Structure formats: structure tokens, C-alpha cells
Amino acid sequence: MTRLSNLKTGEKATIVKVLGYGAFRKRVVEMGFVRGHEVEVLLNAPLHDPIKYKILNYEVSLRRSEADLIEVELANEQTEDSPNMHLDTITDSDRVAVRRHVHSTINIVLIGNPNCGKTSLFNIASGGKERVGNYSGVTVDAKEGFFDYKGFNFKVVDLPGTYSLSAYSPEELYVRRYLKNEIPDVIVNVIDASNLTRNLYLTTELIDMDRSMVIALNMYDELKSSGAKFDYEALEKMIGVPIVPTISKTGEGLNSLLDNIIKVYEGTHESVRHVHVKLGPEVEEAIDNIKREIKASTDQILQFSPRYLAIKMLEGDNEVEDMLKPLPNYSRIAMQRNKWVAHIEDVLKEDIATDIASDKYGFIAGALRETYEESSTKKPKGKRTDCIDSIVTNRWLGFPIFILLMFLMFWTTFEMGSYPMEWIGQAVDWIAEMVNTSMSAGPLKDLLVDGVIGGVGGVIVFLPNILILYFFISFMEDSGYMARAAFIMDKIMHKMGLHGKSFIPLVMGFGCNVPAILSTRIIESKSSRLITMLVNPFMSCSARLPIYVLFVSAFFPDKAAWVFLGLYLTGILVAIITARLMRHTLFRKDETPFVMELPPYRFPSMKSAIHHMWEKTEQYLRKMGTIILVGSIAVWALNYFPRDYSKSNDEMTVAELEHQQENSYLAKIGKTLAPLIEPIGLNWKASIALISGTTAKEIVVSTLGVLYTVDESDGENSTMLQDKLKQPDRITGKPDFSIPSALSFMVFVLLYFPCIATVAAIVRESGSWKYGLLSICYNTSVAWIMAFVVYRISLLLI
């Protein structure tokens, strides 16, 4: 597939699709540039622009910029089985029908407000596995999916949720830049049927763009259950855009939506027509004058319609101004804009951006007045949401409820997870015993038993805890409670020098720091975004959970929930102090308003929760099969060599095993670094585990599993790693870990060197390596200081 502008003189190709929008697309389609028609390049002008083509036995001239908006397929790109081999022997109508089933890809994008169900619709349409949360900012990048329907191949792109197409927030810029650089065949504007006024504002901006569009009237079940009546067919005729009711959580209406997309794509939908969202008379006159100057300034096809560009010029949109500056007549465009802005603001006594927004909301109000009727029972809107909010956001109850929910989450994670954790541990022990008894002695057996099973098996036992934790986080996200948590935390965030929206990435960090850092794009303030990125690694991600479970079950089984809560609160406290410090030293204070939607409460479906749990299970298992497996084998090899004996591990005495481990490459590395961590109560084995954890925190457990397999030679000892950590060392007579050193180790793991993926995310999102290096050095220094304090205080108290 290529563009028509890339063809050389004499080459022939078959039309696949016409991109672009508005009058241009309509004109070239009417001239015969439709799917299945053959086009030949006859002649290039002396300056290679325009180009003369032959289509349907007549000649036509197109500018190169116009030809660049037409996708074609060269004859040598067609397969032998393609029906196109016989296009010369069929009629034009047959040719179009044949082409419908060859290379019939429809590119669509989903655009809508946060919380409109856009990503749910993407998931159910494409079978994608994108995360859905009931608060803004979950989708932080464009996600692609593919599926087939009625002979067409659909490419669907889920864009970040946005309230408008201005240049205020990062997601608004991202969406508009995508529409500028890519030209989708059809835009699917997903709107929340339960909040039409707010959602239709974005629709008016898309109408200004004059792009092919279909509206998905999502969450239609909520509108019907409210008792309201909405004549969406009348609104469809009014605005010239097809409207299809959908329910994304069940998939209802999806086929009808796709049918309408196909009709719009093929230009056969009877409701499609271009209308203008009428603004005030002064503004309309200003738009007409600026449009005229824009059209006179260029003979090129612009990425957006002249009307949309004129409106954004009036609003003072800097990015649109930069887009138009290369035009030869830009000075006249700017002059017209300045003249009309001054005139309108003098007449209306308010800034023009406010007037345009007021006019658009006036248009929406007028349209809904004719098509929308409130419930006759006049049921108070949002009564359930208001009732719940009166409790969970209460001045006195909000914080205790939040702490209680966190405590319950950790208590359930440990208590419910302990039973399946024990079952998986027994299964791992059984597998190790089977391999141990069935294989002959040698390095391969030692690798499988001590390296693979001892390392990876030591991590997989904590899978139930990971799943339970993610279930709780998913439940709070999908229900809408996370947005309330951000609401009640805004004042604290503000005192930290952050924004209320910073709370959402910080809470997401409890799951994984990498997507949490990516989600900082929802924060408009650059300095707040950077600070949030840098303090996010202090939020204890789920990768650290196996380490906590290991040590808590070994040393604090009766106080598990309190220790968990204490660790997480310690991370939050350090993040607060760090943010405050950075705000007063590295980053200039810049205030941005706290404007955040509080979506209605929705009871999460069990399907969504299970889907999310399975998604995290896949990630966890993939990590065990790659990073953790490789790390475990590397640790085993360093611990296994050099060999002082020609025997395998199970042929050695305990003394020989200890001598072997004490003289291994791993021991030499660990003992070199041991003086750095001895003041915090840790030995060389702990230093090795901490170093391995810089790749992925789960490897800390697998490393300890490899290092402590030496004890398995003693039949009296338990094979559970928790018990091995408490057993006395045969040389020193003391266990490697005590209660103070266990606390010190967990605090150090909580705060030190972020994993490599997190550092890479910080570098990518900040655009500078210096912030990645700052995170490594600062976090590790803070971790050592805090671990030292915790260890020394624990020695005094215990």
C-alpha cells in the first residue's frame, strides 16, 4: 500500500481509499477516485506539481498534496489469489464490489470525555486488554486494536480522554496532534448518555473540524433507567452526525455502531451532512473574515478545516498559530484576528474564548431542549452518588474511611492469600523433591533444583497476594472511589507542593510504578508532573509485595496488617517530605487550578475485576518466565562457581556446602559490599539480594531462595524460605535476620533504587537522564538513612 503521490510516470495502481475530509474528499470521490478504480500517472509538471492522472478513461490533474491523501495499491502488490487479477474483465460496479473484500481497512479513532466508557468500548470491540478506571487519566497514550466485521478489517485507536480540543492539557494536545498527523477514516465520538451537556461540547469541536464522524451514545442503559426521554434520531438530523445508542459494558449496540461506521466510510449514510455550530453574529463575522484569509493564503490541503482554525485563532490557541505561521499571508490572518478580537471584546465586554464557549453551550442547550426530556418523576439526579459522597468525603469521616479501606485491603491480602500461598509452596516443594529423586547428581540437577525451582518457585508462591491486592485496587478504581480519594487528598497534596491530580498516579504506584509514571500526563503543571514522577517510586508497588509477605510471615505473623500498613504509610510519608523539599529547592512553584471530574459511583462488574486480575497474572507469569528466571539462573551460577569439589550439592556435607558458598563469586561480591549495609543490620547475602532487585524487585525473593537452598541438605530443617531466614547460622550461631534487621531490610526495599523499567519511564517522561540518575542516587540514600534509623530504634525497643 502506498500513496498516489509516490507513483512514477507510467505506473498504474488501484484506488484503496480517499483520506482527507470535507469538500476535498467529496470532490475527488465524485471524480471517480473510489475503491477499486484503476488510476495511471500520465505526466508530472516541470516542477513535479501538479500531476496528471488517467482514471475512468478521462484525464484529471491533482496537486501533489491532494494525491498524498489517496491510498493506492500497485499491481505487483496484489497476490495471485486476489480477485484483482481479473479487474480488467469486469464492470466498474463489479470492481468496487470485489475491492470491498480486498484491503478494506477502516481506520477509526475513539474520542470522548474521561469516564464516558470509551476504553470499555475499545476492549469489547477489539478484544483488547486496556485498563479501565472510573476516573480521568487512565488512558495516557493511543492504544491500537484490530478486528474484522462484515468483510472489513477495522483498525481502532483509543485516544486519551479529553474535554475539548484546545491546547490546555497534555491529553488535549495529544488528541489534536494525533488528528493532525493521522487522518482516520471515521471518528467515533463516544459520549456519556447520562451527561449530555458536558459531553456534547467536545462534539461541537469535532463538528467544527468537519471530519467523518459517528456518535456512540454510550451508557444508554443509565439514561433509560433514569426515566428521561431522548430523541437522539432528531438530534442526529439536526447536527448531521449519525448517533447510535451503545452499552459498552455488555456490547449492546456495537454491531449497529459498526454498520453506521461502514455507511459513513462509504459515503452512503443518509443522515450525514455538514452543519455549522452557529455562534454569535459578531463571532461568525470574525470567523468568515479569518477563514477567507486562510483560504487565500494557501493552495495546500490543511490538516484541519479553515473554520476550526479560525475559531482557534480567535481563542488565542498558540499551537494553531504556529501551524499557520508558515503561510505566506499569515500577517494578514493575525491582523484580522487581532482586529476582530478587540472589536468583539469591546462590544461584548468579555473575552472571546468565554463568549465562544457560551455560544456553544447555548447551541447544546437549544438542541437538547427540542430532543431531551427529564424524567416525569423528577428523581433527584445523582441521589445515590450524593449520599455516598456525604460520607466518604465528609470532613471528619473521609480520612478515617480511607485509612480503614487501606487497612482492610492489606489484612485481606495477607489473611486470604496465606492459604493458597501455602498450597502453592507445598506444590513447589513436591516438584523439587520429584526432580531431586528422579535425576542423577550433577550440575544440571543442581541448576534445576536450586536455581530454577528454588528461585522462581520462591516467587510464584506469592501470586495469590498479588491477585488479591489488584482486585482491591481495581474495585476502588472502577467504583469511582479513587476520584474521591483525590478530592479529599487535594489539600494535603497542595501542602506538599503538588496538585490534587497527583494523588491518582501515586495510588496507581501501589500497583506498578511504570504505568503510574506514564499517567502523570494528566497533570497540567510541568513542575508538579516532574515531582510526582520522582516521588512515585516511594509508593510500594506490587513487585515489593512478595518481599513483605516473606518477611512478615516469618517475623510478624500476628501483626501482618499493621506492618503492611506501616510500610505503605512510610513510603507515603517519605514521598510527602521529598515533594515538599523538591518544591522549595529544585522546582519553581506554579499553581494550577484543581479541576477534576467526580464521576458517579458505579458498582464494578465481577467480569471487569477478574479480567484485571488475569491481566496482572499474565504479566506476573511472563516476568517469572523471563527476568526472574534469568536472574535466578545468574545468581545460582555465581553462587555455584568456582567449584572446590567434584561433587554435586546433594553429595556434599553441610560443611562442604558452606565452604563452597562462602568462596563463591557471589560471596566475594557480597562481602565486598557488606560494609555498606552492616550498619543497617544486614549481611552479604542481603546485599546480593538487594543488587539483584534493581532489575525487578521480585528477584530479591528468588535470590534469597537460591542463597538459602544450602539448608535443604539438613533433613530437620523446613524447606520453607520463611523458616530458613530465622534459622541460626552454623558458623556464627545467630540467624542472618532478626526482627530489627527484617524491618530494616523491608524499609530499604521500600525506598531504594527503583527498578530499571521505572527509571526508564522517568527518563522517557521527563525527557532527561538527569532525573533518572537523581531518582537512583536520592532514593538509595534516603533508603539507607531510613533503614539505619529503623534498625537502631528497633534494637533499643526489642
Side-chain angles (χ1 to χ4, degrees):
M1 213 94 71
T2 185
R3 296 294 174 92
L4 183 59
S5 59
N6 296 329
L7 268 60
K8 298 176 182 177
T9 302
E11 285 188 323
K12 295 181 180 181
T14 304
I15 305 294
V16 175
K17 71 173 64 170
V18 178
L19 306 173
Y21 63 90
F24 161 76
R25 192 172 192 274
K26 186 173 185 295
R27 176 164 55 92
V28 295
V29 167
E30 289 172 347
M31 292 166 62
F33 286 86
V34 297
R35 185 169 50 247
H37 287 179
E38 186 179 78
V39 60
E40 179 183 0
V41 184
L42 296 180
L43 180 67
N44 274 266
L47 297 178
H48 301 284
D49 202 8
I51 308 169
K52 185 164 70 172
Y53 298 96
K54 182 178 180 181
I55 186 169
L56 298 178
N57 293 317
Y58 77 95
E59 296 177 356
V60 60
S61 174
L62 293 178
R63 295 191 182 95
R64 186 170 294 274
S65 60
E66 296 170 334
D68 194 51
L69 295 175
I70 300 174
E71 281 190 0
V72 298
E73 180 190 43
L74 293 169
N76 58 10
E77 293 179 325
Q78 299 165 12
T79 63
E80 292 183 2
D81 297 329
S82 170
N84 240 11
M85 294 292 293
H86 312 289
L87 284 177
D88 291 336
T89 61
I90 59 177
T91 65
D92 288 336
S93 59
D94 290 336
R95 184 176 285 126
V96 173
V98 170
R99 293 300 298 166
R100 176 171 177 153
H101 297 282
V102 182
H103 295 303
S104 49
T105 297
I106 303 179
N107 298 309
I108 63 175
V109 294
L110 304 180
I111 298 177
N113 288 186
N115 308 314
C116 67
K118 177 172 53 61
T119 303
S120 295
L121 195 65
F122 171 86
N123 285 340
I124 203 163
S126 67
K129 298 179 179 179
E130 293 311 315
R131 183 70 191 98
V132 183
N134 192 9
Y135 59 85
S136 64
V138 174
T139 308
V140 295
D141 213 334
K143 307 296 189 297
E144 294 184 355
F146 300 87
F147 62 95
D148 294 321
Y149 180 78
K150 290 190 176 179
F152 290 90
N153 175 250
F154 280 80
K155 174 186 174 184
V156 55
V157 177
D158 178 23
L159 293 178
T162 179
Y163 293 105
S164 72
L165 295 174
S166 299
Y168 175 65
S169 68
E171 58 263 30
E172 290 171 352
L173 281 172
Y174 187 96
V175 171
R176 193 167 70 183
R177 286 171 182 170
Y178 183 92
L179 294 177
K180 173 188 172 186
N181 298 325
E182 305 290 335
I183 305 177
D185 297 313
V186 180
I187 292 172
V188 178
N189 177 209
V190 185
I191 66 176
D192 179 356
S194 65
N195 200 334
L196 292 170
T197 302
R198 186 206 66 202
N199 281 250
L200 285 170
Y201 185 85
L202 176 61
T203 306
T204 64
E205 294 209 305
L206 292 170
I207 290 173
D208 290 336
M209 280 190 172
D210 192 18
R211 299 283 183 94
S212 297
M213 182 166 66
V214 174
I215 292 174
L217 186 64
N218 204 26
M219 303 182 189
Y220 191 63
D221 53 332
E222 294 187 14
L223 185 146
K224 290 193 296 184
S225 65
S226 71
K229 296 179 181 179
F230 180 40
D231 188 355
Y232 61 86
E233 293 176 339
L235 182 63
E236 174 181 295
K237 293 181 174 65
M238 193 181 301
I239 63 176
V241 180
I243 301 176
V244 183
T246 60
I247 305 173
S248 58
K249 63 184 179 183
T250 64
E252 187 176 333
L254 178 61
N255 288 349
S256 177
L257 177 65
L258 296 176
D259 290 338
N260 277 270
I261 290 172
I262 292 171
K263 289 180 182 179
V264 170
Y265 172 73
E266 294 187 321
T268 60
H269 202 294
E270 62 279 1
S271 296
V272 174
R273 64 189 182 93
H274 180 58
V275 299
H276 285 166
V277 176
K278 287 293 183 182
L279 306 176
E282 293 87 0
V283 176
E284 284 293 338
E285 189 175 357
I287 291 171
D288 289 340
N289 279 273
I290 297 172
K291 272 173 55 181
R292 194 177 303 115
E293 293 294 343
I294 291 174
K295 290 178 178 179
S297 285
T298 180
D299 56 4
Q300 302 294 311
I301 300 297
L302 297 169
Q303 293 96 334
F304 299 119
S305 71
R307 179 178 176 83
Y308 175 80
L309 295 173
I311 292 173
K312 290 303 171 185
M313 281 291 288
L314 287 170
E315 291 177 344
D317 192 304
N318 292 330
E319 189 161 275
V320 167
E321 289 197 42
D322 293 338
M323 199 184 303
L324 295 177
K325 278 179 182 176
L327 298 181
N329 207 24
Y330 172 75
S331 59
R332 290 186 59 82
I333 297 172
M335 185 179 69
Q336 283 286 339
R337 186 272 311 276
N338 295 338
K339 182 184 80 172
W340 281 102
V341 166
H343 170 71
I344 292 171
E345 291 184 349
D346 180 61
V347 171
L348 302 178
K349 306 301 180 185
E350 65 178 351
D351 68 277
I352 194 165
T354 301
D355 183 66
I356 290 174
S358 297
D359 287 346
K360 287 194 171 185
Y361 275 115
F363 172 86
I364 294 167
L368 292 179
R369 193 177 299 117
E370 297 182 32
T371 58
Y372 181 80
E373 183 181 338
E374 288 280 3
S375 171
S376 57
T377 59
K378 295 187 177 181
K379 183 180 178 180
K381 188 178 180 180
K383 184 177 180 181
R384 179 184 63 182
T385 293
D386 293 341
C387 182
I388 299 174
D389 274 347
S390 67
I391 300 172
V392 300
T393 64
N394 182 272
R395 179 181 179 185
W396 304 109
L397 298 177
F399 287 105
I401 289 173
F402 177 71
I403 297 296
L404 177 63
L405 288 174
M406 297 292 286
F407 178 83
L408 287 174
M409 179 173 71
F410 298 134
W411 182 86
T412 308
T413 297
F414 185 83
E415 291 297 325
M416 288 184 61
S418 63
Y419 299 103
M421 184 178 75
E422 185 177 346
W423 301 333
I424 296 173
Q426 291 171 352
V428 170
D429 290 343
W430 180 80
I431 294 171
E433 182 62 25
M434 288 288 293
V435 174
N436 200 33
T437 56
S438 61
M439 288 187 68
S440 57
L444 179 59
K445 174 183 173 181
D446 295 338
L447 168 62
L448 291 176
V449 174
D450 301 335
V452 177
I453 299 175
V456 176
V459 177
I460 198 172
V461 296
F462 303 107
L463 180 60
N465 306 92
I466 299 290
L467 295 179
I468 294 169
L469 178 68
Y470 267 108
F471 176 84
F472 273 93
I473 293 177
S474 172
F475 189 90
M476 288 193 291
E477 288 175 352
D478 294 348
S479 67
Y481 177 74
M482 280 300 190
R484 271 70 185 183
F487 174 77
I488 65 176
M489 291 294 292
D490 178 59
K491 190 168 184 179
I492 294 177
M493 294 288 109
H494 183 74
K495 289 184 180 296
M496 287 170 57
L498 290 176
H499 192 276
K501 285 185 178 180
S502 298
F503 183 72
I504 288 175
L506 294 180
V507 173
M508 288 181 69
F510 290 142
C512 180
N513 294 140
V514 174
I517 288 169
L518 298 180
S519 72
T520 58
R521 296 177 191 175
I522 68 173
I523 305 168
E524 293 85 0
S525 164
K526 183 179 180 181
S527 64
S528 291
R529 192 159 62 247
L530 285 170
I531 295 174
T532 307
M533 275 185 237
L534 293 171
V535 303
N536 201 282
F538 293 127
M539 300 297 103
S540 190
C541 67
S542 61
R544 297 175 173 98
L545 187 62
I547 307 169
Y548 302 156
V549 174
L550 172 64
F551 281 87
V552 168
S553 60
F555 295 97
F556 312 97
D558 298 328
K559 299 180 178 64
W562 291 108
V563 174
F564 273 112
L565 185 61
L567 286 167
Y568 280 76
L569 290 179
T570 299
I572 294 170
L573 179 63
V574 172
I576 291 172
I577 295 171
T578 299
R580 190 76 174 166
L581 181 66
M582 288 183 172
R583 177 61 77 188
H584 285 85
T585 55
L586 299 179
F587 301 100
R588 181 176 58 86
K589 191 172 184 179
D590 59 344
E591 299 291 342
T592 53
F594 179 61
V595 180
M596 182 176 179
E597 180 188 1
L598 294 177
Y601 288 100
R602 295 187 173 97
F603 194 83
S605 66
M606 187 57 65
K607 180 181 177 181
S608 173
I610 293 173
H611 176 83
H612 189 207
M613 288 170 63
W614 172 244
E615 179 182 293
K616 296 304 172 184
T617 303
E618 284 185 309
Q619 293 178 8
Y620 195 69
L621 294 175
R622 278 199 300 268
K623 189 180 284 189
M624 280 190 291
T626 53
I627 297 174
I628 295 172
L629 176 61
V630 172
S632 299
I633 293 173
V635 170
W636 171 86
L638 291 170
N639 191 47
Y640 195 79
F641 298 104
R643 301 293 290 178
D644 291 340
Y645 303 91
S646 58
K647 306 174 184 177
S648 65
N649 281 358
D650 58 353
E651 295 172 330
M652 290 184 182
T653 65
V654 172
E656 288 173 334
L657 281 169
E658 290 174 347
H659 180 74
Q660 162 63 33
Q661 190 179 64
E662 289 288 330
N663 290 278
S664 66
Y665 293 126
L666 198 64
K668 292 175 182 177
I669 297 171
K671 289 174 181 177
T672 302
L673 299 172
L676 297 175
I677 62 171
E678 284 176 356
I680 60 175
L682 305 177
N683 64 2
W684 70 268
K685 293 181 182 179
S687 70
I688 292 299
L690 292 171
I691 292 172
S692 65
T694 59
T695 304
K697 292 297 180 282
E698 296 96 335
I699 298 182
V700 171
V701 175
S702 65
T703 300
L704 292 172
V706 172
L707 289 171
Y708 284 92
T709 51
V710 64
D711 293 331
E712 291 181 5
S713 58
D714 188 347
E716 296 179 359
N717 290 335
S718 168
T719 57
M720 293 296 288
L721 183 55
Q722 291 94 322
D723 296 318
K724 296 175 187 176
L725 297 177
K726 298 186 291 183
Q727 290 173 354
D729 185 271
R730 291 186 177 86
I731 297 176
T732 64
K734 298 179 180 179
D736 287 344
F737 288 94
S738 60
I739 289 179
S741 61
L743 284 172
S744 171
F745 187 82
M746 287 190 289
V747 169
F748 195 88
V749 167
L750 166 70
L751 303 173
Y752 87 121
F753 195 126
C755 70
I756 297 300
T758 300
V759 174
I762 291 173
V763 171
R764 175 188 168 190
E765 293 302 306
S766 65
S768 174
W769 275 99
K770 67 180 182 181
Y771 294 113
L773 293 174
L774 174 64
S775 182
I776 291 170
C777 298
Y778 176 81
N779 290 28
T780 305
S781 301
V782 169
W784 193 95
I785 294 170
M786 289 295 295
F788 180 84
V789 171
V790 168
Y791 179 64
R792 295 301 166 182
I793 293 176
S794 299
L795 285 176
L796 293 174
L797 298 178
I798 300 173

